[in-house]
Amino acid sequence: MHGPGQDDTDVTLWRAEGERSGDTAFALFSPPPAWGTDAGGERRLLPDRTYQLTFTHHEDDYNGTVAFTAGDLSGLGTGQVWADDRAMDLDEFEELAEESC
């Protein structure tokens, strides 16, 4: 959805339909080719923008959303991830994810 004065160049969206399982690592704007994504908009981080990554699994109501800015990501140290509106190490993230499920 667009607000007043916005057009499609203000929106970056890619969507992958179908089943996915297991852990998958990929560059932020380059989902795996096998996902068959539809993509549009800028494919790079822009300053002063908030991005949102959302995933859902409809069968068991498993879902999540993370919002971030380019500044959030550039401030990450080696081995850190962005989740729950803050930087954390991978062990802390896995514990948070496990508690959330």
Side-chain angles (χ1 to χ4, degrees), residues 10-11 17 21-22 30 35 39-40 44 46 53-54 57-58 63-64 69 79-81 85-86 88-89 92 94 97:
D10 291 329
V11 176
E17 301 291 339
S21 64
S30 300
W35 285 17
R44 62 188 174 95
L46 299 172
L53 172 67
T54 301
H57 188 268
H58 299 289
N63 59 65
T69 65
Q80 288 188 310
V81 298
D85 296 323
R86 60 193 167 94
M88 61 183 72
D89 66 32
E92 186 178 2
E94 289 178 350

Short mmCIF file of all heavy atoms in Angstrom, two decimals, residues 10-11 17 21-22 30 35 39-40 44 46 53-54 57-58 63-64 69 79-81 85-86 88-89 92 94 97:
data_model
loop_
_atom_site.label_atom_id
_atom_site.label_comp_id
_atom_site.label_asym_id
_atom_site.label_seq_id
_atom_site.Cartn_x
_atom_site.Cartn_y
_atom_site.Cartn_z
N ASP A 10 9.09 3.73 -4.35
CA ASP A 10 9.29 3.81 -2.90
C ASP A 10 9.14 2.45 -2.22
O ASP A 10 9.31 2.35 -1.02
CB ASP A 10 8.28 4.78 -2.28
CG ASP A 10 8.55 6.21 -2.66
OD1 ASP A 10 9.71 6.57 -2.87
OD2 ASP A 10 7.57 6.96 -2.76
N VAL A 11 8.80 1.43 -2.96
CA VAL A 11 8.51 0.13 -2.38
C VAL A 11 9.45 -0.91 -2.98
O VAL A 11 9.61 -0.98 -4.19
CB VAL A 11 7.05 -0.28 -2.66
CG1 VAL A 11 6.78 -1.69 -2.14
CG2 VAL A 11 6.09 0.71 -2.03
N GLU A 17 6.40 -17.88 -2.89
CA GLU A 17 5.27 -18.73 -2.53
C GLU A 17 5.75 -20.17 -2.44
O GLU A 17 6.72 -20.56 -3.07
CB GLU A 17 4.16 -18.61 -3.60
CG GLU A 17 3.62 -17.22 -3.80
CD GLU A 17 2.81 -16.70 -2.62
OE1 GLU A 17 2.32 -17.53 -1.82
OE2 GLU A 17 2.67 -15.48 -2.49
N SER A 21 11.82 -25.21 3.93
CA SER A 21 12.14 -25.83 5.21
C SER A 21 13.64 -25.72 5.46
O SER A 21 14.43 -25.55 4.54
CB SER A 21 11.71 -27.29 5.24
OG SER A 21 12.43 -28.04 4.29
N GLY A 22 14.01 -25.78 6.72
CA GLY A 22 15.40 -25.70 7.10
C GLY A 22 15.92 -24.28 7.09
O GLY A 22 15.22 -23.33 6.78
N SER A 30 18.82 -10.90 -2.55
CA SER A 30 19.06 -11.97 -3.52
C SER A 30 18.57 -13.30 -2.96
O SER A 30 19.37 -14.17 -2.61
CB SER A 30 20.55 -12.06 -3.85
OG SER A 30 21.01 -10.87 -4.39
N TRP A 35 13.55 -20.23 -5.14
CA TRP A 35 12.36 -19.71 -4.50
C TRP A 35 11.38 -19.11 -5.50
O TRP A 35 10.24 -18.85 -5.17
CB TRP A 35 12.72 -18.67 -3.46
CG TRP A 35 13.29 -19.24 -2.20
CD1 TRP A 35 13.80 -20.49 -2.01
CD2 TRP A 35 13.40 -18.57 -0.96
NE1 TRP A 35 14.23 -20.63 -0.73
CE2 TRP A 35 14.00 -19.47 -0.05
CE3 TRP A 35 13.07 -17.30 -0.52
CZ2 TRP A 35 14.25 -19.14 1.27
CZ3 TRP A 35 13.33 -16.97 0.79
CH2 TRP A 35 13.91 -17.88 1.68
N ALA A 39 10.09 -9.88 -7.90
CA ALA A 39 10.77 -8.76 -7.26
C ALA A 39 10.46 -7.46 -7.98
O ALA A 39 10.23 -7.44 -9.18
CB ALA A 39 12.28 -8.99 -7.26
N GLY A 40 10.46 -6.37 -7.23
CA GLY A 40 10.27 -5.05 -7.80
C GLY A 40 10.87 -4.01 -6.90
O GLY A 40 11.12 -4.26 -5.73
N ARG A 44 18.64 -2.48 -3.12
CA ARG A 44 19.76 -2.07 -2.27
C ARG A 44 19.19 -1.28 -1.10
O ARG A 44 18.08 -0.75 -1.18
CB ARG A 44 20.75 -1.22 -3.05
CG ARG A 44 20.15 0.08 -3.57
CD ARG A 44 21.09 0.82 -4.51
NE ARG A 44 20.42 1.96 -5.09
CZ ARG A 44 20.50 3.20 -4.61
NH1 ARG A 44 21.22 3.45 -3.54
NH2 ARG A 44 19.86 4.19 -5.19
N LEU A 46 18.63 1.74 1.24
CA LEU A 46 18.62 3.19 1.08
C LEU A 46 18.57 3.84 2.46
O LEU A 46 17.93 3.31 3.37
CB LEU A 46 17.42 3.63 0.25
CG LEU A 46 17.36 3.07 -1.17
CD1 LEU A 46 16.03 3.43 -1.82
CD2 LEU A 46 18.51 3.61 -2.00
N LEU A 53 11.01 -7.54 7.05
CA LEU A 53 11.05 -8.92 6.56
C LEU A 53 10.00 -9.69 7.34
O LEU A 53 9.99 -9.67 8.58
CB LEU A 53 12.44 -9.53 6.80
CG LEU A 53 12.57 -11.01 6.50
CD1 LEU A 53 12.41 -11.28 5.01
CD2 LEU A 53 13.90 -11.53 7.01
N THR A 54 9.09 -10.32 6.63
CA THR A 54 8.01 -11.07 7.25
C THR A 54 7.99 -12.47 6.69
O THR A 54 8.16 -12.66 5.48
CB THR A 54 6.65 -10.39 6.98
OG1 THR A 54 6.70 -9.06 7.49
CG2 THR A 54 5.51 -11.14 7.63
N HIS A 57 3.98 -19.25 8.16
CA HIS A 57 3.70 -20.65 7.88
C HIS A 57 2.27 -20.87 8.33
O HIS A 57 1.99 -20.97 9.52
CB HIS A 57 4.67 -21.57 8.63
CG HIS A 57 4.53 -22.99 8.22
ND1 HIS A 57 3.70 -23.86 8.86
CD2 HIS A 57 5.12 -23.67 7.21
CE1 HIS A 57 3.78 -25.05 8.27
NE2 HIS A 57 4.64 -24.95 7.27
N HIS A 58 1.36 -20.89 7.38
CA HIS A 58 -0.06 -20.86 7.69
C HIS A 58 -0.58 -22.09 8.43
O HIS A 58 -1.50 -21.99 9.21
CB HIS A 58 -0.87 -20.64 6.40
CG HIS A 58 -0.54 -19.36 5.73
ND1 HIS A 58 -0.90 -18.14 6.25
CD2 HIS A 58 0.17 -19.09 4.60
CE1 HIS A 58 -0.46 -17.17 5.46
NE2 HIS A 58 0.20 -17.73 4.46
N ASN A 63 4.92 -17.45 12.51
CA ASN A 63 5.24 -16.29 11.71
C ASN A 63 6.16 -15.36 12.49
O ASN A 63 6.33 -15.50 13.69
CB ASN A 63 3.96 -15.56 11.27
CG ASN A 63 3.16 -15.10 12.45
OD1 ASN A 63 3.60 -14.27 13.23
ND2 ASN A 63 1.97 -15.66 12.62
N GLY A 64 6.72 -14.41 11.78
CA GLY A 64 7.58 -13.44 12.42
C GLY A 64 7.81 -12.24 11.52
O GLY A 64 7.62 -12.32 10.31
N THR A 69 16.71 -0.74 9.64
CA THR A 69 17.18 0.32 8.74
C THR A 69 18.59 -0.04 8.28
O THR A 69 19.24 -0.95 8.85
CB THR A 69 17.23 1.68 9.46
OG1 THR A 69 18.21 1.61 10.50
CG2 THR A 69 15.86 2.05 10.03
N GLY A 79 29.39 -11.65 13.52
CA GLY A 79 28.63 -12.69 14.20
C GLY A 79 27.34 -12.24 14.83
O GLY A 79 26.65 -13.03 15.47
N GLN A 80 26.97 -10.97 14.65
CA GLN A 80 25.72 -10.48 15.22
C GLN A 80 24.60 -10.50 14.19
O GLN A 80 24.86 -10.46 12.98
CB GLN A 80 25.88 -9.04 15.72
CG GLN A 80 26.71 -8.92 16.98
CD GLN A 80 26.66 -7.51 17.52
OE1 GLN A 80 26.88 -6.54 16.80
NE2 GLN A 80 26.37 -7.40 18.82
N VAL A 81 23.38 -10.57 14.69
CA VAL A 81 22.18 -10.49 13.86
C VAL A 81 21.27 -9.42 14.44
O VAL A 81 21.41 -9.03 15.60
CB VAL A 81 21.44 -11.84 13.78
CG1 VAL A 81 22.30 -12.91 13.15
CG2 VAL A 81 20.96 -12.29 15.15
N ASP A 85 14.38 -5.75 17.52
CA ASP A 85 14.78 -4.33 17.54
C ASP A 85 16.14 -4.07 18.17
O ASP A 85 16.39 -3.00 18.73
CB ASP A 85 13.72 -3.47 18.24
CG ASP A 85 12.40 -3.47 17.51
OD1 ASP A 85 12.42 -3.48 16.26
OD2 ASP A 85 11.35 -3.47 18.18
N ARG A 86 17.06 -5.06 18.07
CA ARG A 86 18.39 -4.87 18.64
C ARG A 86 19.39 -5.86 18.04
O ARG A 86 19.00 -6.87 17.45
CB ARG A 86 18.36 -5.05 20.16
CG ARG A 86 17.86 -6.42 20.60
CD ARG A 86 17.55 -6.45 22.09
NE ARG A 86 16.81 -7.64 22.44
CZ ARG A 86 17.37 -8.76 22.87
NH1 ARG A 86 18.67 -8.85 23.02
NH2 ARG A 86 16.63 -9.80 23.18
N MET A 88 22.24 -8.72 18.40
CA MET A 88 22.51 -9.81 19.34
C MET A 88 23.39 -10.85 18.65
O MET A 88 23.45 -10.89 17.42
CB MET A 88 21.22 -10.45 19.84
CG MET A 88 20.36 -11.07 18.76
SD MET A 88 18.79 -11.73 19.37
CE MET A 88 17.88 -10.24 19.73
N ASP A 89 24.05 -11.69 19.47
CA ASP A 89 24.86 -12.74 18.86
C ASP A 89 23.94 -13.89 18.46
O ASP A 89 22.77 -13.95 18.86
CB ASP A 89 26.01 -13.18 19.76
CG ASP A 89 25.56 -13.86 21.05
OD1 ASP A 89 24.52 -14.54 21.07
OD2 ASP A 89 26.28 -13.71 22.05
N GLU A 92 22.17 -15.93 21.24
CA GLU A 92 21.05 -15.20 21.84
C GLU A 92 19.84 -15.21 20.91
O GLU A 92 18.70 -15.39 21.35
CB GLU A 92 21.47 -13.77 22.15
CG GLU A 92 20.43 -12.98 22.90
CD GLU A 92 20.89 -11.57 23.24
OE1 GLU A 92 22.02 -11.16 22.87
OE2 GLU A 92 20.09 -10.85 23.88
N GLU A 94 19.11 -17.52 18.61
CA GLU A 94 18.52 -18.87 18.59
C GLU A 94 17.70 -19.13 19.85
O GLU A 94 16.65 -19.75 19.79
CB GLU A 94 19.61 -19.92 18.38
CG GLU A 94 20.15 -19.88 16.96
CD GLU A 94 21.27 -20.85 16.71
OE1 GLU A 94 21.80 -21.46 17.68
OE2 GLU A 94 21.65 -21.01 15.53
N ALA A 97 14.46 -17.18 19.42
CA ALA A 97 13.59 -17.87 18.46
C ALA A 97 12.95 -19.09 19.09
O ALA A 97 11.75 -19.36 18.90
CB ALA A 97 14.38 -18.24 17.21
#
